Amino acid sequence: MTDDLITSLYKEKAVIIKKYLIKNGCSLLDAEDIVQGTFVKAIQYMVELHEQNLSAWLFKVALHAYYDLCRKNKRYPSCSIEDQDQFFAGLADELDGEMLFLTKEKGEEITKVLNMLNANQRNLLLLRYEMELSYKEIAELTNMDEKTIKTYLYRARLAFKKKWEETNDEKLKDG
């Protein structure tokens, strides 16, 4: 592996990995530190790494570093579908107060249901629908076959739908 390859990978993958970590609840500063540490490891292990799996390796190293940080801080990772304060502040001009409240409430409900799913399902849904990556890009990041990604995403959507319906059925019974 060459320095040029590391540089081009950094330009391509650093932003995606950082955004993904933030979507998983990582702070901006921690995400930047994790991405930097991941590429430092890539440089350290430059001789041993195979170029074909490098994107997946970077992604997994960054994700495991985030999970280690969560364990160290004794908190569980939880996803965030967007930076809600900034997102809703931008909408404030366009929406009336009631609509703004309902939109924010729906976003919180979606985040709550996503956090009920297992980590793999949640990660795939975030990569596909929040970060808008293609099946091919997700397959490269996770080092899985594209057909496997499609199957797992299908199952993740079903699991989300089931949890969503369970949550809303409980609300109807309570209300």
Side-chain angles (χ1 to χ4, degrees):
M1 185 168 44
T2 65
D3 291 341
D4 293 336
L5 179 61
I6 292 275
T7 304
S8 68
L9 270 171
Y10 184 80
K11 288 177 183 175
E12 288 176 28
K13 304 298 179 188
V15 173
I16 292 172
I17 294 170
K18 182 174 77 172
K19 285 181 181 178
Y20 178 73
L21 291 170
I22 291 169
K23 298 290 180 192
N24 266 300
C26 189
S27 71
L28 176 63
L29 291 175
D30 287 340
E32 289 172 346
D33 288 345
I34 289 170
V35 169
Q36 181 180 2
T38 299
F39 279 91
V40 167
K41 282 186 180 181
I43 293 169
Q44 287 173 340
Y45 297 109
M46 197 181 316
V47 176
E48 301 170 17
L49 294 175
H50 301 286
E51 292 180 26
Q52 64 191 24
N53 298 332
L54 199 53
S55 292
W57 185 86
L58 291 169
F59 184 75
K60 287 179 184 177
V61 168
L63 195 56
H64 288 290
Y66 174 58
Y67 290 156
D68 289 343
L69 179 67
C70 288
R71 273 192 293 277
K72 179 180 158 190
N73 294 335
K74 296 185 180 178
R75 64 180 172 91
Y76 296 101
S78 62
C79 73
S80 170
I81 59 168
E82 60 242 331
D83 182 6
Q84 291 184 352
D85 294 336
Q86 187 177 12
F87 177 76
F88 292 112
L91 287 178
D93 296 334
E94 300 174 21
L95 300 174
D96 63 359
E98 181 182 359
M99 190 63 175
L100 179 65
F101 177 77
L102 291 174
T103 304
K104 185 170 183 173
E105 188 176 89
K106 187 65 75 180
E108 290 170 357
E109 289 176 20
I110 291 170
T111 299
K112 181 181 173 186
V113 172
L114 277 172
N115 286 325
M116 290 179 186
L117 300 175
N118 71 45
N120 289 335
Q121 292 171 333
R122 181 176 61 235
N123 291 339
L124 286 174
L125 290 172
L126 284 173
L127 288 169
R128 178 69 179 141
Y129 298 106
E130 181 65 17
M131 297 186 66
E132 299 177 348
L133 297 179
S134 69
Y135 294 118
K136 184 178 180 182
E137 291 171 320
I138 296 170
E140 288 174 6
L141 279 177
T142 58
N143 199 27
M144 290 185 196
D145 182 57
E146 198 171 330
K147 290 179 183 178
T148 305
I149 294 296
K150 288 179 181 180
T151 302
Y152 285 1
L153 268 166
Y154 174 77
R155 292 176 184 163
R157 284 191 299 269
L158 289 179
F160 180 87
K161 182 179 177 183
K162 182 179 178 186
K163 294 284 186 191
W164 181 264
E165 290 170 352
E166 289 172 2
T167 302
N168 286 326
D169 285 347
E170 289 175 14
K171 285 183 183 179
L172 291 174
K173 289 178 186 176
D174 293 339

